[in-house]
Amino acid sequence: MFRSFLILFSILISVLFLCSSEGLTDEAFIGYGGGGYNGKLMIFSIPGLELLKDVPIGVDIRSPVTDRKNLFVVDKAQDTLYMIDLSNLSVKKSIKLPDYFGPSSIAISKDGKSIYIAGELSGKVASVDVDSGKAIALALKPLPSSPNFVALTTDGKYCLVSDYSNNRILRISTSPFKLDKELKLRRPHEITVTPDGKSALVSSKFSASLTFVDLKDFKVENVLKTGAFPLDVIIDSKGTFAYQSQHASSEIVKIDIAKKEVVGRFSVKYNPSSISITPDNKYLVSANKFSTGIYDGLNSNISEEGGSVIPQNMEVIELASGKSIKQAAVSGDISGIIIPSREAIKDASLKEKGEFVKKGSKPDVAPKEGVKVSYIPADDRPPGISDADDDAIEIRLKALSYIFAPNIVNCFKGDTVRFIITNIDEKALYIDKPAVVHGFTINGFGKQTNVLLPKGVSAVVEFVADKKGTFEFYCSNFCGPVHHEMRGRFVVE
Ligand SMILES: [Cu+2]
């Protein structure tokens, strides 16, 4: 009797144990997201949305892609391409891109040997040979050009690039690496190619539409009205349906690719940007912004003087039912999520379980060692440049959706520069979110200048301008549909 009770008891314990390791069951996939301004690779379970690991990589980490053995991400602040071993998550190789390149998006060839990178801040597109680390950069004209997303055609012959400054997408041949054709399209954002190689789908954020581009003739085939401020567009593994995130109307629109028709709409809680789908087409993961309200308990004061960071969040939608099944607040600005097939994941260390944002924790913007970044009470002096009492050059910037004022500032080489940056947003154009948090990072001075700009405080960033050049500064925390265009120039003479 006692023995059978023991057996029963141990069976019960094993069942309980199995249930508690729910984070990584056979049902689960693993997502890899660029953490944006937190400089990390964020690794999480799907659908559970548990943070499995966050791996420090650089300063502003974006756009993961994979060749199934490695992950590649770019650092927008430090002009670097990182190759990360999927089996142990170590950085295997870092490839320096041309100075001022400002990478924002990556596409990888099928054989994993070539990588194409959109250099949003420089107006350049690069082709990188992974083995040799050699990069060839193509400068787009006219300036300013802003190539911010890149995709490859299925035959690998062309890379397609969206350029929002010039309202166009570009077709660039991969060998030789040169501009082939351009196609006018209003404010293009994310771009993706259908698995049959026939069409490219482009989100046109100011036209509230999805544009089908015929790739044979490189011309517009169809324009489908979809939603409000469409950003990301992805395609399921069968090539049947596309999903597009509607940033302003907080929904995901489902499109039948063959019929070129909208066939469904799923609500998400908060303004979505990057989205991704599991390889079995069961779950859609949406990186949402502006989680005002539901995560109030998680908001942390960034300083004694006030100013709170509102965590961004992710959400999982079960596609068959259209139901939202999981939400989690996240630290960082998730930009780009990839979900490899289960076979590609080999790292046995991915077993730690945790939450993205722990209750009462400080936001993930801790200044790095030896870097002078701090917060002071909101500075209400007018914007401008002046000499401070301690001989530093004081540059007072105001940040609002979607500009920095002033947006061109200068100093001389060797100057100690003190930026005092104040978020004066009332609301983010079209979206009534007065507590929107901007970010500030200067490309080329990434580590010293990477800071969040919550309301109610001013961020102080101090460093020595030790090299000459023209450096782009940009908003490094997603703040709305025109976030990418929130930029300025720091000139060191
Ligand atoms: Cu911003």
Side-chain angles (χ1 to χ4, degrees):
M1 176 67 189
F2 182 68
R3 249 177 70 180
S4 51
F5 173 76
L6 259 186
I7 292 167
L8 207 71
F9 184 72
S10 52
I11 290 173
L12 188 72
I13 291 291
S14 338
V15 167
L16 279 176
F17 178 77
L18 278 175
C19 292
S20 70
S21 54
E22 168 262 333
L24 284 178
T25 59
D26 287 348
E27 292 296 304
F29 283 96
I30 294 178
Y32 296 79
Y37 68 77
N38 73 11
K40 292 173 177 173
L41 180 69
M42 308 292 280
I43 306 170
F44 52 91
S45 66
I46 302 165
L49 288 185
E50 282 159 332
L51 180 64
L52 303 172
K53 225 176 190 112
D54 51 2
V55 187
I57 304 287
V59 173
D60 186 1
I61 295 301
R62 287 151 188 274
S63 191
V65 296
T66 183
D67 63 0
R68 298 172 64 83
K69 285 198 193 107
N70 306 289
L71 279 169
F72 297 85
V73 290
V74 276
D75 188 334
K76 191 173 179 180
Q78 302 198 117
D79 304 318
T80 307
L81 170 70
Y82 297 98
M83 181 183 193
I84 299 157
D85 192 328
L86 251 183
S87 71
N88 60 16
L89 300 172
S90 65
V91 174
K92 237 165 141 174
K93 201 179 217 181
S94 51
I95 297 173
K96 184 77 182 75
L97 301 170
D99 283 344
Y100 320 121
F101 190 75
S104 60
S105 164
I106 315 179
I108 186 166
S109 63
K110 275 187 185 145
D111 61 8
K113 289 188 172 162
S114 305
I115 289 198
Y116 302 92
I117 310 177
E120 183 187 356
L121 300 180
S122 59
K124 290 178 181 168
V125 180
S127 159
V128 178
D129 178 73
V130 175
D131 284 342
S132 67
K134 214 179 141 215
I136 312 168
L138 190 71
L140 302 180
K141 294 212 169 67
L143 285 172
S145 285
S146 306
N148 63 335
F149 287 99
V150 59
L152 263 182
T153 54
T154 48
D155 59 11
K157 284 188 180 158
Y158 298 102
C159 67
L160 308 170
V161 170
S162 60
D163 171 8
Y164 61 74
S165 294
N166 293 300
N167 294 301
R168 62 181 178 178
I169 58 167
L170 299 157
R171 186 166 86 173
I172 294 167
S173 72
T174 51
S175 179
F177 190 58
K178 68 174 187 49
L179 181 62
D180 176 61
K181 257 184 173 172
E182 75 165 57
L183 178 64
K184 283 303 210 185
L185 216 148
R186 199 183 309 277
R187 279 295 193 275
H189 197 74
E190 186 65 81
I191 180 166
T192 188
V193 173
T194 56
D196 64 10
K198 288 185 181 160
S199 312
L201 309 185
V202 188
S203 287
S204 178
K205 60 186 182 185
F206 286 3
S207 298
S209 62
L210 181 70
T211 302
F212 288 72
V213 175
D214 170 66
L215 287 179
K216 199 164 147 265
D217 300 325
F218 201 54
K219 61 168 199 210
V220 172
E221 211 181 339
N222 198 27
V223 178
L224 187 63
K225 287 284 167 203
T226 47
F229 280 112
L231 295 179
D232 202 357
V233 57
I234 55 166
I235 296 175
D236 69 14
S237 63
K238 292 180 184 151
T240 313
F241 299 110
Y243 297 87
Q244 192 187 39
S245 60
Q246 310 297 331
H247 183 73
S249 55
S250 295
E251 58 185 350
I252 310 294
V253 167
K254 181 180 182 182
I255 297 119
D256 184 314
I257 295 173
K259 290 185 185 154
K260 300 185 175 62
E261 267 174 25
V262 171
V263 291
R265 286 173 188 276
F266 309 114
S267 289
V268 290
K269 294 276 180 206
Y270 298 99
N271 317 80
S273 61
S274 296
I275 51 175
S276 193
I277 194 168
T278 51
D280 62 357
N281 303 318
K282 214 169 155 188
Y283 301 110
L284 183 140
V285 182
S286 173
N288 302 336
K289 312 296 175 181
F290 309 135
S291 61
T292 318
I294 51 168
Y295 298 119
D296 274 356
L298 294 167
N299 289 349
S300 348
N301 283 338
I302 203 159
S303 73
E304 305 266 298
E305 288 80 14
S308 65
V309 170
I310 296 161
Q312 300 182 359
N313 65 104
M314 282 199 292
E315 188 167 353
V316 174
I317 307 287
E318 186 184 56
L319 287 170
S321 65
K323 276 193 186 134
S324 168
I325 58 164
K326 184 80 189 180
Q327 283 179 55
V330 299
S331 70
D333 176 23
I334 304 288
S335 58
I337 300 167
I338 55 158
I339 309 170
S341 66
R342 283 195 198 95
E343 304 84 73
I345 315 292
K346 293 189 192 77
D347 188 0
S349 69
L350 288 177
K351 280 178 186 152
E352 298 160 26
K353 283 181 27 168
E355 295 161 79
F356 275 99
V357 181
K358 291 202 175 64
K359 210 166 186 153
S361 65
K362 289 277 176 203
D364 199 358
V365 286
K368 290 98 202 151
E369 237 175 282
V371 174
K372 267 187 138 176
V373 176
S374 60
Y375 292 95
I376 56 170
D379 178 70
D380 57 7
R381 292 173 296 164
I385 306 179
S386 53
D387 292 328
D389 293 341
D390 60 359
D391 282 347
I393 307 296
E394 195 172 274
I395 301 178
R396 293 180 303 278
L397 290 188
K398 306 293 177 188
L400 67 157
S401 300
Y402 299 96
I403 53 171
F404 288 104
N407 65 1
I408 298 177
V409 295
N410 49 359
C411 73
F412 294 112
K413 187 184 164 190
D415 283 347
T416 296
V417 184
R418 185 181 306 128
F419 278 88
I420 300 177
I421 316 147
T422 315
N423 177 347
I424 57 162
D425 235 334
E426 291 301 324
K427 65 169 163 186
L429 182 70
Y430 301 103
I431 296 168
D432 190 12
K433 303 283 187 211
V436 66
V437 178
H438 296 287
F440 175 80
T441 304
I442 305 180
N443 171 273
F445 290 96
K447 199 177 160 195
Q448 293 106 309
T449 61
N450 179 36
V451 70
L452 275 189
L453 308 173
K455 287 277 290 194
V457 285
S458 292
V460 182
V461 166
E462 193 175 310
F463 61 99
V464 176
D466 56 3
K467 51 192 167 189
K468 283 187 184 179
T470 298
F471 305 89
E472 290 270 327
F473 56 83
Y474 62 96
C475 177
S476 46
N477 185 39
F478 191 100
C479 62
V482 199
H483 154 71
H484 287 87
E485 298 170 39
M486 189 168 166
R487 290 163 54 176
R489 227 158 240 197
F490 173 53
V491 183
V492 184
E493 293 173 51

